[in-house]
Amino acid sequence: SQTIHQWPATLVQPVGSPLSLECTVEGTSNPNLYWYRQAAGRGLQLLFYSVGIGQISSEVPQNLSASRPQDRQFILSSKKLLLSDSGFYLCAWSVSGVNTEAFFGQGTRLTVV
Amino acid sequence: AQTVTQSQPEMSVQEAETVTLSCTYDTSESDYYLFWYKQPPSRQMILVIRQEAYKQQNATENRFSVNFQKAAKSFSLKISDSQLGDAAMYFCAYRRNNAGNNRKLIWGLGTSLAVNP
Protein backbone atom coordinates (compact mmCIF):
# COMPACT_ATOMS: atom_id res chain seq x y z
CA SER A 1 0.00 0.00 0.00
CA GLN A 2 1.04 3.58 -0.53
CA THR A 3 2.18 5.78 2.32
CA ILE A 4 3.33 9.35 2.58
CA HIS A 5 5.77 10.61 5.18
CA GLN A 6 6.29 14.23 6.05
CA TRP A 7 8.70 15.65 8.60
CA PRO A 8 9.26 17.28 10.94
CA ALA A 9 5.85 17.44 12.58
CA THR A 10 6.57 20.75 14.28
CA LEU A 11 9.26 23.34 13.77
CA VAL A 12 10.11 26.65 15.41
CA GLN A 13 12.56 28.75 13.46
CA PRO A 14 13.88 32.31 13.86
CA VAL A 15 13.28 34.92 11.23
CA GLY A 16 15.99 34.84 8.60
CA SER A 17 16.89 31.20 9.11
CA PRO A 18 16.69 28.60 6.32
CA LEU A 19 13.96 26.00 5.98
CA SER A 20 13.82 22.47 4.65
CA LEU A 21 10.70 20.32 4.88
CA GLU A 22 10.81 16.88 3.39
CA CYS A 23 8.12 14.61 2.03
CA THR A 24 8.49 11.09 0.68
CA VAL A 25 5.99 8.69 -0.82
CA GLU A 26 6.29 4.92 -0.75
CA GLY A 27 4.51 2.22 -2.69
CA THR A 28 3.98 4.06 -5.95
CA SER A 29 6.04 5.48 -8.77
CA ASN A 30 5.93 8.76 -10.68
CA PRO A 31 3.31 10.34 -8.42
CA ASN A 32 2.11 13.91 -8.73
CA LEU A 33 3.35 15.75 -5.65
CA TYR A 34 2.00 18.87 -3.98
CA TRP A 35 2.88 21.33 -1.23
CA TYR A 36 0.01 23.19 0.43
CA ARG A 37 -0.05 25.81 3.16
CA GLN A 38 -2.92 26.29 5.54
CA ALA A 39 -3.06 29.45 7.63
CA ALA A 40 -4.90 29.23 10.96
CA GLY A 41 -8.65 28.90 10.41
CA ARG A 42 -8.31 29.08 6.64
CA GLY A 43 -8.48 26.79 3.66
CA LEU A 44 -5.62 25.26 1.74
CA GLN A 45 -3.41 27.24 -0.57
CA LEU A 46 -1.49 25.31 -3.23
CA LEU A 47 2.15 26.39 -3.23
CA PHE A 48 3.89 24.01 -5.62
CA TYR A 49 3.15 20.91 -7.62
CA SER A 50 5.34 18.49 -9.52
CA VAL A 51 4.54 15.96 -12.20
CA GLY A 52 8.06 14.51 -12.39
CA ILE A 53 11.68 14.73 -11.27
CA GLY A 54 12.96 18.26 -11.57
CA GLN A 55 9.58 19.55 -12.78
CA ILE A 56 8.20 22.14 -10.40
CA SER A 57 5.33 24.53 -10.94
CA SER A 58 4.80 27.45 -8.60
CA GLU A 59 1.32 28.68 -7.90
CA VAL A 60 2.07 31.68 -5.73
CA PRO A 61 5.19 33.87 -5.89
CA GLN A 62 6.74 33.93 -2.45
CA ASN A 63 9.71 33.34 -0.24
CA LEU A 64 9.62 29.58 -0.71
CA SER A 65 10.92 27.12 -3.30
CA ALA A 66 10.44 23.43 -3.97
CA SER A 67 12.58 20.70 -5.43
CA ARG A 68 12.07 17.12 -6.48
CA PRO A 69 15.48 15.45 -6.54
CA GLN A 70 14.06 11.93 -6.69
CA ASP A 71 10.86 10.44 -8.03
CA ARG A 72 9.17 10.13 -4.64
CA GLN A 73 10.83 12.95 -2.73
CA PHE A 74 9.54 16.49 -2.54
CA ILE A 75 11.30 19.21 -0.59
CA LEU A 76 10.05 22.64 0.45
CA SER A 77 12.78 25.19 1.16
CA SER A 78 13.49 28.76 2.04
CA LYS A 79 16.78 30.61 2.28
CA LYS A 80 15.46 33.18 4.77
CA LEU A 81 12.20 32.69 6.64
CA LEU A 82 9.76 35.53 7.21
CA LEU A 83 7.21 35.83 10.00
CA SER A 84 4.50 35.45 7.36
CA ASP A 85 5.81 31.99 6.49
CA SER A 86 4.31 30.61 9.70
CA GLY A 87 1.55 28.11 9.08
CA PHE A 88 0.66 24.50 8.60
CA TYR A 89 2.29 22.84 5.59
CA LEU A 90 0.86 19.76 3.98
CA CYS A 91 2.43 17.50 1.41
CA ALA A 92 0.16 15.43 -0.82
CA TRP A 93 0.39 12.99 -3.69
CA SER A 94 -1.91 11.67 -6.37
CA VAL A 95 -1.61 8.96 -8.99
CA SER A 96 -0.11 10.16 -12.24
CA GLY A 97 -2.31 9.97 -15.31
CA VAL A 98 -5.37 8.70 -13.43
CA ASN A 99 -8.22 10.76 -12.08
CA THR A 100 -8.00 10.06 -8.40
CA GLU A 101 -8.02 12.06 -5.25
CA ALA A 102 -5.00 13.44 -3.41
CA PHE A 103 -3.61 11.76 -0.31
CA PHE A 104 -2.06 13.88 2.40
CA GLY A 105 0.81 13.65 4.83
CA GLN A 106 0.39 14.51 8.48
CA GLY A 107 1.60 18.05 8.05
CA THR A 108 4.26 20.30 9.56
CA ARG A 109 3.38 23.13 11.89
CA LEU A 110 5.94 25.88 11.27
CA THR A 111 6.26 28.80 13.63
CA VAL A 112 8.63 31.58 12.67
CA VAL A 113 9.66 33.69 15.65
CA ALA B 1 -11.85 30.34 -12.95
CA GLN B 2 -13.34 27.66 -10.79
CA THR B 3 -14.36 28.51 -7.23
CA VAL B 4 -15.71 26.53 -4.29
CA THR B 5 -17.87 28.11 -1.60
CA GLN B 6 -18.76 26.73 1.79
CA SER B 7 -21.24 29.15 3.31
CA GLN B 8 -21.31 27.65 6.80
CA PRO B 9 -18.12 28.46 8.75
CA GLU B 10 -19.41 26.51 11.77
CA MET B 11 -22.03 23.86 12.37
CA SER B 12 -23.02 21.72 15.32
CA VAL B 13 -25.01 18.52 15.71
CA GLN B 14 -26.13 16.32 18.55
CA GLU B 15 -24.60 12.90 18.76
CA ALA B 16 -26.61 10.31 16.77
CA GLU B 17 -28.40 13.02 14.78
CA THR B 18 -27.98 13.96 11.11
CA VAL B 19 -26.26 17.06 9.79
CA THR B 20 -25.82 18.44 6.28
CA LEU B 21 -22.86 20.57 5.22
CA SER B 22 -23.28 22.79 2.17
CA CYS B 23 -20.95 23.36 -0.74
CA THR B 24 -21.47 25.19 -4.00
CA TYR B 25 -19.04 25.60 -6.84
CA ASP B 26 -18.68 27.53 -10.02
CA THR B 27 -17.27 26.05 -13.19
CA SER B 28 -17.82 26.08 -16.92
CA GLU B 29 -16.53 22.53 -17.23
CA SER B 30 -18.87 19.56 -17.61
CA ASP B 31 -16.47 16.85 -16.53
CA TYR B 32 -14.97 17.13 -13.07
CA TYR B 33 -14.64 15.56 -9.65
CA LEU B 34 -15.86 16.74 -6.28
CA PHE B 35 -14.51 15.71 -2.90
CA TRP B 36 -15.20 16.10 0.77
CA TYR B 37 -12.17 15.98 3.04
CA LYS B 38 -12.13 15.83 6.82
CA GLN B 39 -9.44 17.47 8.93
CA PRO B 40 -9.63 16.39 12.59
CA PRO B 41 -7.67 18.14 15.36
CA SER B 42 -4.61 16.12 14.36
CA ARG B 43 -4.81 18.19 11.16
CA GLN B 44 -4.18 15.33 8.78
CA MET B 45 -6.41 15.69 5.73
CA ILE B 46 -8.55 12.59 5.18
CA LEU B 47 -10.70 11.87 2.15
CA VAL B 48 -14.34 11.26 3.14
CA ILE B 49 -16.10 10.84 -0.16
CA ARG B 50 -15.80 11.70 -3.84
CA GLN B 51 -18.25 12.21 -6.68
CA GLU B 52 -17.66 12.03 -10.43
CA ALA B 53 -19.67 14.68 -12.23
CA TYR B 54 -20.73 12.29 -15.00
CA LYS B 55 -22.42 10.01 -12.48
CA GLN B 56 -25.98 10.87 -11.59
CA GLN B 57 -26.05 8.57 -8.60
CA ASN B 58 -25.04 10.21 -5.36
CA ALA B 59 -21.94 8.74 -3.71
CA THR B 60 -22.28 7.00 -0.36
CA GLU B 61 -19.68 5.84 2.14
CA ASN B 62 -21.22 4.26 5.22
CA ARG B 63 -22.73 7.11 7.26
CA PHE B 64 -21.59 9.73 4.75
CA SER B 65 -23.54 10.56 1.62
CA VAL B 66 -23.73 13.45 -0.79
CA ASN B 67 -26.52 15.30 -2.54
CA PHE B 68 -25.02 16.21 -5.90
CA GLN B 69 -27.09 18.69 -7.91
CA LYS B 70 -25.10 19.31 -11.08
CA ALA B 71 -27.41 21.90 -12.60
CA ALA B 72 -27.44 23.87 -9.36
CA LYS B 73 -23.69 23.28 -8.87
CA SER B 74 -24.33 22.08 -5.36
CA PHE B 75 -22.55 19.30 -3.50
CA SER B 76 -23.72 18.86 0.08
CA LEU B 77 -22.47 16.28 2.58
CA LYS B 78 -24.86 14.47 4.88
CA ILE B 79 -23.53 12.77 7.99
CA SER B 80 -25.98 10.36 9.56
CA ASP B 81 -25.86 9.02 13.11
CA SER B 82 -23.20 11.58 14.01
CA GLN B 83 -20.42 10.40 16.28
CA LEU B 84 -18.04 12.32 18.50
CA GLY B 85 -15.21 11.34 16.19
CA ASP B 86 -16.90 13.20 13.35
CA ALA B 87 -15.97 16.50 14.96
CA ALA B 88 -13.55 18.12 12.53
CA MET B 89 -13.11 20.72 9.84
CA TYR B 90 -14.71 19.60 6.59
CA PHE B 91 -13.48 20.85 3.24
CA CYS B 92 -15.19 20.65 -0.11
CA ALA B 93 -12.87 20.45 -3.12
CA TYR B 94 -13.17 20.47 -6.90
CA ARG B 95 -10.93 19.19 -9.64
CA ARG B 96 -11.52 19.35 -13.34
CA ASN B 97 -11.05 16.17 -15.32
CA ASN B 98 -8.44 17.58 -17.63
CA ALA B 99 -6.30 15.65 -20.04
CA GLY B 100 -3.11 16.96 -18.54
CA ASN B 101 -1.19 15.28 -15.78
CA ASN B 102 -1.77 17.92 -13.16
CA ARG B 103 -4.34 17.20 -10.51
CA LYS B 104 -4.84 20.56 -8.84
CA LEU B 105 -7.66 20.83 -6.36
CA ILE B 106 -9.72 23.95 -5.77
CA TRP B 107 -10.70 24.20 -2.12
CA GLY B 108 -13.48 25.77 -0.08
CA LEU B 109 -12.62 27.52 3.17
CA GLY B 110 -14.08 24.75 5.30
CA THR B 111 -16.87 24.14 7.80
CA SER B 112 -16.02 23.43 11.42
CA LEU B 113 -18.35 20.72 12.74
CA ALA B 114 -18.88 20.25 16.46
CA VAL B 115 -20.62 17.12 17.76
CA ASN B 116 -22.36 17.56 21.10
CA PRO B 117 -22.74 14.54 23.38
Side-chain angles (χ1 to χ4, degrees):
Chain A
S1 63
Q2 301 88 3
T3 56
I4 179 169
H5 302 281
Q6 184 181 344
W7 68 93
T10 60
L11 191 60
V12 180
Q13 291 285 99
V15 170
S17 65
L19 172 73
S20 180
L21 301 182
E22 189 162 343
C23 173
T24 59
V25 180
E26 296 177 356
T28 188
S29 59
N30 194 32
N32 292 337
L33 296 171
Y34 309 84
W35 277 112
Y36 286 91
R37 177 168 59 198
Q38 184 180 29
R42 302 294 299 275
L44 278 75
Q45 178 188 36
L46 179 63
L47 302 176
F48 301 94
Y49 66 90
S50 171
V51 298
I53 296 175
Q55 302 178 60
I56 309 295
S57 296
S58 174
E59 288 293 299
V60 181
Q62 57 206 326
N63 185 42
L64 302 169
S65 62
S67 62
R68 184 170 177 173
Q70 300 181 44
D71 180 44
R72 292 169 290 173
Q73 183 185 29
F74 205 25
I75 298 172
L76 183 68
S77 304
S78 174
K79 292 183 180 178
K80 289 185 178 181
L81 283 169
L82 306 172
L83 288 174
S84 58
D85 292 324
S86 292
F88 190 67
Y89 290 83
L90 285 157
C91 180
W93 75 275
S94 65
V95 178
S96 170
V98 177
N99 286 308
T100 68
E101 56 274 16
F103 300 93
F104 287 80
Q106 293 187 311
T108 297
R109 184 183 305 276
L110 171 65
T111 304
V112 182
V113 297
Chain B
Q2 296 89 4
T3 58
V4 175
T5 302
Q6 293 179 249
S7 59
Q8 306 153 316
E10 297 179 349
M11 292 279 287
S12 64
V13 62
Q14 291 296 125
E15 196 175 3
E17 305 253 313
T18 296
V19 64
T20 298
L21 308 183
S22 301
C23 173
T24 59
Y25 56 95
D26 186 23
T27 183
S28 58
E29 305 284 336
S30 60
D31 193 9
Y32 49 86
Y33 289 78
L34 295 163
F35 306 91
W36 277 100
Y37 280 86
K38 169 185 176 181
Q39 189 178 38
S42 67
R43 302 202 68 176
Q44 182 167 11
M45 199 69 73
I46 303 166
L47 177 71
V48 175
I49 200 165
R50 73 169 183 172
Q51 174 80 42
E52 292 90 336
Y54 65 86
K55 289 186 177 180
Q56 293 185 341
Q57 186 174 6
N58 290 324
T60 300
E61 287 289 339
N62 301 315
R63 297 182 295 107
F64 298 87
S65 61
V66 299
N67 183 6
F68 174 48
Q69 302 290 329
K70 191 172 184 178
K73 296 180 183 176
S74 171
F75 182 59
S76 61
L77 175 70
K78 185 171 82 171
I79 306 174
S80 304
D81 186 25
S82 296
Q83 301 176 359
L84 295 177
D86 295 333
M89 183 75 81
Y90 286 82
F91 291 94
C92 179
Y94 162 100
R95 194 194 71 225
R96 59 186 289 209
N97 186 14
N98 55 330
N101 204 16
N102 182 26
R103 297 290 180 257
K104 291 192 288 184
L105 290 162
I106 309 298
W107 296 84
L109 292 181
T111 296
S112 178
L113 177 66
V115 180
N116 303 315

